[in-house]
Amino acid sequence: MKLHLVETAMQGPRVKTFRFQPVEGSGPLPAYSPGSALRIHLPVGEKGLWNSYSLTSNPWVDDAYSIAVRREDESSSKGGSIYLHDRAKPGDVFEVEPPVNRFALSRLAAKHVLIAGGIGITPFLSYLPVIAGRGQSVEVHYSYRGGDNSAFTDWLYHFVNRYCRVNVYDTTVNHRMNLSLILGLQSAGAHVYVCGPASLIEAVRQTARDLGWPASQVHYEHFSQADERPRRPFAVMLQNSGREVQVSDSESLLEALEREGVPVTHSCRIGGCGSCEIAVSAGQVEHRDHCLSEEDRKAGCSMIACVSRAMNGQLVLKL
Amino acid sequence: MNTETLVSAAPVPPLMEDRFANGADSILRFPFPFEGDSYNYTVNLRKAGQGARGAFDEHWFDVDEHYVAEMELREKVLAHDPERYQALPHMMEHQWDTLELIMEKYSTDYPQHFELYRDGKRWTWKNKLLNLEDTFSFGDERTLPREPLDYITRQAQGDWVLMDERDNDLSMDAGMLTFPADWSLKFDLGMSFEEWHGPVPMAHEAGVFKRAKQFLMRIQPAEPWQRFNWTMTIGRRWDASVEMYHQWGVDRTSITPENVGQKVHLRVEVQVLPRLRRSHGLLFQIRTYLISLDELVTNPAWAKRLRRVLQSLPEPIADYKGLTRYKDTVINWLSPYEDGV
């Protein structure tokens, strides 16, 4: 769908907010849940760029989509945030995909502990009003590198009351979170959410594991969505018939087997449902599915034919 | 004894054969669920609302010729047993999400029957099939005659279950269930995904539910998925609930080679699973279609395939679906359609 950029505002020296509304005549924007993200197409480079940003507004009170973007350094960026900061202006039209949520708020948590590193604060901007509206307890722990990166602290302080605590940490003066203490002090039934650099996410997950937190109460935002590994050609040997099937770089194993008339039960074709699981008797699998468990993968005895491939050029299948 | 009074006091007419008879068009668009000649319990997922023009899956939520009859039957079932509608207190946001989705899809996909006008939070809804018009404030349940889910599902074909997603699980926390195939919302309310699938044989061991649940939890708002489920029902019995088992359970002993074509029905559920927008809950529409074997065999390819599927059905599955007593009668009756090819 197409959206109009209607307003921008600086939130400190490095973070800018952008507010979008539907173009004339296209009806109201689809609502979304706290933690949702918006994929937006930016005219950068030859093909353009799809970037994903957390929505920071509240769909119950707002008829617009808002995002907050940190201007990345030229050296560490593909140019998306720089385009938004330097070139995008009110009136511009952008192509976006409907919001998706991979970082949802648990509705019945006894308490929410929100841990943010830098611009990782953005999903929590949509969490906080909802948590406050439900009258649930919340703690915010927000660390940043120096005052230039401390966007939204004033906004956060507005929520402080007997049910909401906000702690900020400036790592440039060596003020750091004590994760063992933060997580160790929580009662059973609390949920922790972490968004920020991979090192912070890993530290929170590790600390929670060490303290015996149930995995279902530890939430983290995945940053990399798309699988950017190259699709390489490989060969499979079908052990029951002795046939060999070549899988080119432009097709999946499932497609190659269908082409050769080898029937495989299948359903979703996006690596999600597990219908096209095939037993593997030799060779290392490059797993790209979302349905096999860690144990399944370690055992190495099966693969999901619609997405997964061979690590080293060939596999032997029990087909 | 006045037998007339007794008859008219019956809460729901047990069969409504005439009103739910399938016209030629309904038979043509019947969602025949079998893709192969043998039974195979898979999650059989595909994207919803991608069917051909006029097909049962052209739109997310199908409206067909039985709309008015089905809505009137729902009212009768609810008048007799209001507990077919259930909603836990934390589900109000899910209820509004569902109302919005049904109104939006119905008015866009069937503008000849439904209209929705939105002026900010002030909404006007027109249902021309049931001759209803209401203006209300979206998000304020005091402005509707009933709770939002109760209100809208009395105007929407199929059963509707609302799941909350939390703690890496799905929880059945609200719904409207007047036409279930041998289960009860009141009994299952609040259960987790694996709990309410507890009675299904063989699939837990195969790991089907664990994976199905992970798949469902990845569904995003713009892209609902659908799957088929099926069983068989005696008579055109929409309300085959656990609550009414005393009325329909015994019917399964009544099947003879003479009445099988008229009495035995293939019952297909097209299950549509959209993600709810504000609540991040999952909606589960169970859109039921009933076709008598007499109607079904007007398509001989369906007759042949159904027979082969029934022949390959494992005993525990046949027992679970309640087919054991009359399955062989059906298989024998369908044998003329087996051409050996």
Side-chain angles (χ1 to χ4, degrees):
Chain A
M1 53 185 173
K2 293 222 184 310
L3 298 185
H4 254 134
L5 175 60
V6 291
E7 199 183 328
T8 66
M10 290 306 291
Q11 311 285 337
R14 297 201 59 164
V15 175
K16 199 170 187 176
T17 51
F18 299 82
R19 189 176 145 86
F20 299 91
Q21 279 181 334
V23 295
E24 203 71 31
S26 57
L29 294 173
Y32 55 92
S33 48
S36 292
L38 190 68
R39 275 189 90 210
I40 177 165
H41 187 258
L42 300 169
V44 175
E46 258 174 56
K47 291 183 191 161
L49 199 61
W50 281 98
N51 274 10
S52 195
Y53 297 102
S54 296
L55 283 160
T56 57
S57 34
N58 176 346
W60 281 100
V61 298
D62 207 345
D63 58 356
Y65 288 161
S66 295
I67 58 172
V69 180
R70 179 181 189 270
R71 192 183 192 285
E72 301 298 333
D73 296 327
E74 271 82 354
S75 57
S76 62
S77 158
K78 289 188 203 155
S81 68
I82 294 168
Y83 180 88
L84 278 168
H85 269 258
D86 297 355
R87 309 269 304 272
K89 55 185 186 307
D92 289 357
V93 173
F94 291 88
E95 178 72 22
V96 306
E97 289 178 356
V100 299
N101 196 346
R102 296 187 178 86
F103 194 48
L105 190 58
S106 181
R107 183 165 303 269
L108 299 180
K111 181 177 176 182
H112 305 278
V113 180
L114 315 182
I115 298 178
I119 196 64
I121 192 68
T122 51
F124 301 141
L125 303 181
S126 66
Y127 275 22
L128 264 185
V130 172
I131 293 171
R134 291 181 190 157
Q136 293 172 327
S137 293
V138 58
E139 261 176 41
V140 183
H141 297 273
Y142 176 25
S143 89
Y144 46 78
R145 292 169 62 83
D148 281 3
N149 293 304
S150 64
F152 302 110
T153 43
D154 289 346
W155 185 87
L156 292 175
Y157 286 136
H158 279 127
F159 284 89
V160 173
N161 63 22
R162 55 197 287 211
Y163 304 111
C164 176
R165 283 175 50 192
V166 174
N167 292 321
V168 299
Y169 308 82
D170 182 351
T171 56
T172 56
V173 294
N174 210 20
H175 183 204
R176 292 173 192 279
M177 294 181 202
N178 182 338
L179 292 174
S180 305
L181 199 64
I182 293 170
L183 296 181
L185 285 174
Q186 305 301 332
S187 318
H191 282 238
V192 62
Y193 307 77
V194 54
C195 185
S199 56
L200 179 66
I201 293 174
E202 197 32 58
V204 169
R205 293 181 67 196
Q206 187 60 50
T207 307
R209 263 197 300 273
D210 293 347
L211 290 169
W213 279 58
S216 60
Q217 290 169 218
V218 180
H219 310 264
Y220 49 95
E221 169 86 280
H222 302 266
F223 273 121
S224 58
Q225 308 294 355
D227 191 336
E228 287 176 3
R229 287 177 287 179
R231 285 156 48 117
R232 294 166 298 173
F234 61 103
V236 290
M237 166 80 88
L238 310 185
Q239 150 180 322
N240 296 343
S241 59
R243 288 171 64 188
E244 193 174 293
V245 174
Q246 301 291 332
V247 184
S248 75
D249 56 3
S250 62
E251 64 186 345
S252 68
L253 170 58
L254 177 62
E255 286 163 347
L257 292 172
E258 285 174 334
R259 165 168 56 74
E260 294 296 313
V262 182
V264 177
T265 315
H266 63 270
S267 183
C268 77
R269 303 185 87 106
I270 55 170
C273 72
S275 298
C276 61
E277 181 173 0
I278 292 178
V280 177
S281 52
Q284 213 179 343
V285 179
E286 185 180 80
H287 293 287
R288 293 167 176 247
D289 62 279
H290 307 280
C291 54
L292 292 181
S293 64
E294 279 307 309
E295 296 83 63
D296 292 337
R297 289 179 189 208
K298 272 193 198 128
C301 301
S302 72
M303 69 184 292
I304 303 301
C306 64
V307 289
S308 295
R309 309 182 71 84
M311 195 76 93
N312 302 313
Q314 57 181 342
L315 296 169
V316 181
L317 305 179
K318 291 185 184 167
L319 272 181
Chain B
M1 189 176 187
N2 186 339
T3 51
E4 239 180 55
T5 319
L6 272 182
V7 169
S8 63
V12 175
L15 300 174
M16 297 180 75
E17 298 279 355
D18 296 342
R19 294 198 70 188
F20 287 98
N22 291 309
D25 188 48
S26 283
I27 295 175
L28 202 65
R29 73 198 293 280
F30 186 82
F32 189 73
F34 307 115
E35 287 179 355
D37 282 342
S38 67
Y39 176 77
N40 192 355
Y41 195 102
T42 68
V43 285
N44 62 73
L45 285 150
R46 66 181 74 182
K47 283 178 191 167
Q50 312 237 318
R53 198 179 153 81
F56 69 91
D57 56 351
E58 180 187 0
H59 302 301
W60 290 21
F61 306 136
D62 185 35
V63 171
D64 67 12
E65 62 169 337
H66 303 311
Y67 176 86
V68 175
E70 197 177 315
M71 293 302 96
E72 288 179 9
L73 182 57
R74 166 158 291 159
E75 291 292 343
K76 285 183 185 159
V77 173
L78 286 167
H80 175 61
D81 183 2
E83 294 188 328
R84 302 300 184 85
Y85 170 76
Q86 297 282 344
L88 293 176
H90 62 272
M91 297 299 283
M92 193 50 79
E93 209 174 33
H94 305 66
Q95 291 200 34
W96 283 111
D97 275 337
T98 305
L99 174 139
E100 176 189 53
L101 210 51
I102 294 174
M103 288 186 174
E104 197 176 289
K105 290 295 165 192
Y106 269 19
S107 61
T108 312
D109 296 336
Y110 310 97
Q112 68 277 35
H113 301 315
F114 307 96
E115 290 172 18
L116 175 65
Y117 300 97
R118 291 190 257 204
D119 177 13
K121 296 265 187 257
R122 190 182 154 84
W123 291 22
T124 297
W125 168 246
K126 282 187 194 173
N127 179 336
K128 289 179 261 186
L129 289 173
L130 297 179
N131 202 20
L132 284 169
E133 180 173 337
D134 282 296
T135 297
F136 59 95
S137 174
F138 185 80
D140 182 353
E141 41 286 8
R142 294 166 305 180
T143 60
L144 276 175
R146 302 174 180 280
E147 289 195 344
L149 180 65
D150 192 6
Y151 174 79
I152 195 59
T153 54
R154 285 172 192 256
Q155 305 176 49
Q157 270 186 286
D159 281 341
W160 302 82
V161 171
L162 275 57
M163 299 177 237
D164 188 34
E165 182 174 324
R166 58 175 188 272
D167 299 357
N168 202 24
D169 208 335
L170 295 164
S171 181
M172 187 185 292
D173 289 347
M176 172 68 85
L177 203 80
T178 53
F179 311 125
D182 200 7
W183 63 289
S184 158
L185 178 62
K186 195 185 167 194
F187 185 82
D188 283 5
L189 192 71
M191 284 190 186
S192 68
F193 193 80
E194 273 103 337
E195 285 170 344
W196 83 70
H197 285 105
V200 184
M202 298 168 77
H204 289 274
E205 291 74 10
V208 169
F209 294 119
K210 209 170 133 194
R211 283 195 186 155
K213 185 173 77 179
Q214 294 304 324
F215 186 91
L216 298 183
M217 292 196 297
R218 278 191 304 274
I219 291 178
Q220 295 290 348
E223 197 170 89
W225 288 73
Q226 80 178 39
R227 65 176 294 259
F228 292 120
N229 195 16
W230 68 278
T231 184
M232 293 179 122
T233 300
I234 307 307
R236 240 180 265 274
R237 166 95 55 186
W238 287 81
D239 181 11
S241 58
V242 169
E243 288 89 338
M244 299 299 275
Y245 182 81
H246 59 290
Q247 284 197 3
W248 57 265
V250 67
D251 291 351
R252 299 186 294 202
T253 62
S254 70
I255 300 309
T256 65
E258 291 70 39
N259 66 20
V260 53
Q262 182 228 330
K263 284 188 113 174
V264 176
H265 287 66
L266 179 62
R267 182 187 195 101
V268 175
E269 297 176 353
V270 179
Q271 305 179 339
V272 181
L273 290 139
R275 170 68 67 188
L276 294 173
R277 290 171 184 160
R278 296 173 185 79
S279 59
H280 198 66
L282 204 61
L283 176 60
F284 179 40
Q285 186 208 23
I286 307 162
R287 184 69 174 78
T288 295
Y289 300 80
L290 281 169
I291 191 169
S292 70
L293 293 188
D294 277 342
E295 290 168 342
L296 183 132
V297 299
T298 58
N299 182 336
W302 287 355
K304 176 170 112 180
R305 179 156 282 181
L306 174 62
R307 184 172 184 273
R308 289 181 176 184
V309 169
L310 289 175
Q311 280 178 317
S312 72
L313 203 61
E315 278 308 315
I317 303 285
D319 275 342
Y320 166 67
K321 290 183 185 288
L323 315 181
T324 311
R325 281 179 179 273
Y326 58 88
K327 190 182 77 175
D328 289 343
T329 313
V330 173
I331 291 173
N332 287 335
W333 188 78
L334 289 171
S335 56
Y337 298 94
E338 176 55 73
D339 58 7
V341 182

